[in-house]
Amino acid sequence: LYLDHPLGAGQSVPLTRDQAHYLFGVMRRGQGDLIEVFDGQNGAWSARIDEAGKRGGSLKCLEQVAEQRDPPDLWLLFAPIKKTRTDFIVEKAAELGAARICPVQTEFTNSERIRQDRLQAHAVEAAEQCGGTFVPEVADIARLRAVLDGWDPARRLMFCDERMVGAASSLAAETPGAWAILIGPEGGFSEAERTRLHGMDAARPVSLGPRILRADTAAVAALTLWQAALGD
Ligand code: SAM
């Protein structure tokens, strides 16, 4: 369970109504049970449920069970698509170790509105489910043009371009460090965006194979390719 509360030995932590509902209603845990909790800063801890109620409860931290594992310095930039598939991308990015998830509005992006709070909740749930000790930050939507205007060239940009053929192996020569993955919208990148991206020193155009993947499939494929080549 993710607790937005600093954890430490003997620390008593109050539970919100939602956390109580999840623990006691959904997970069927009760008073005296031991669970695992993390706060995103101090690793994972075993904790005992001291109070279990409909409107809340409390836990007592016992001992650290996992060191803090900070995420690889990996961002996922993607153009939002239909709501449920955007949820899917955020969930998979959290499971596959992205530290920051950045919805970007490109020229051909359809759904320009996102619910950042809802997406952040999905990221928390995915982090809880995969036993991580950190929760990725979901940024608010930003124009791709503005993001690229302020780009730090020290962060390499794995630019997923379905027009590249056989360039996936280009990652083999790269080193871990500060990276970002960029996935375009269902309608793809505009010519102006593509020209700009190919002209960036920090960009690494990469193919995800000979077929055109849906944006959510491409996000998972790219994250997996990156983890396999550069993850830690
Ligand atoms: N531009 C394509 C078109 O109009 O048919 C479709 C774009 S595709 C649905 C959405 C995004 O997924 C692309 O912008 C790209 O970032 C990524 N993508 C899909 N297939 C890919 C591939 N084979 N290699 C690299 N990236 C791919």
Side-chain angles (χ1 to χ4, degrees), residues 160-162 183-189 206-209 211-213 215 218:
C160 294
D161 182 357
E162 70 281 4
I183 303 290
E186 292 304 11
F189 291 105
V206 167
S207 163
L208 298 171
R211 283 166 291 281
I212 291 187
L213 309 175

Side-chain angles (χ1 to χ4, degrees), residues 6-89:
L7 300 179
Q11 178 81 40
S12 184
V13 182
L15 290 172
T16 64
R17 192 190 185 102
D18 286 350
Q19 287 165 340
H21 168 69
Y22 172 69
L23 269 181
F24 312 134
V26 175
M27 302 302 285
R28 300 274 174 228
R29 298 300 176 87
Q31 193 154 346
D33 282 355
L34 292 184
I35 62 166
E36 206 168 285
V37 295
F38 68 104
D39 61 4
Q41 308 293 331
N42 299 295
W45 288 75
S46 66
R48 186 188 58 238
I49 298 172
D50 281 350
E51 287 168 74
K54 276 210 179 342
R55 291 190 181 72
S58 74
L59 300 171
K60 168 89 81 181
C61 278
L62 302 175
E63 59 176 344
Q64 190 177 30
V65 292
E67 289 290 311
Q68 177 59 28
R69 263 183 61 76
D70 288 324
D73 190 358
L74 173 64
W75 297 357
L76 173 70
L77 280 66
F78 73 99
I81 44 182
K82 286 194 188 63
K83 195 162 67 101
T84 48
R85 290 172 47 215
T86 292
D87 294 351
F88 175 86
I89 289 178

Side-chain angles (χ1 to χ4, degrees), residues 87-160:
D87 294 351
F88 175 86
I89 289 178
V90 167
E91 213 171 83
K92 299 315 152 196
E95 289 177 59
L96 283 163
R100 194 157 188 268
I101 301 168
C102 317
V104 288
Q105 195 175 334
T106 67
E107 281 185 53
F108 299 154
T109 299
N110 296 328
S111 33
E112 285 150 21
R113 284 166 36 77
I114 59 151
R115 281 279 313 281
Q116 186 189 6
D117 55 340
R118 208 169 57 81
L119 294 179
Q120 186 64 63
H122 274 288
V124 169
E125 262 175 55
E128 287 173 331
Q129 178 273 327
C130 68
T133 62
F134 68 88
V135 174
E137 178 208 348
V138 178
D140 202 357
I141 193 163
R143 286 191 180 286
L144 177 62
R145 194 175 336 117
V147 171
L148 298 183
D149 287 348
W151 195 261
D152 170 0
R155 182 174 294 277
R156 283 156 290 174
L157 177 62
M158 178 177 160
F159 163 36
C160 294

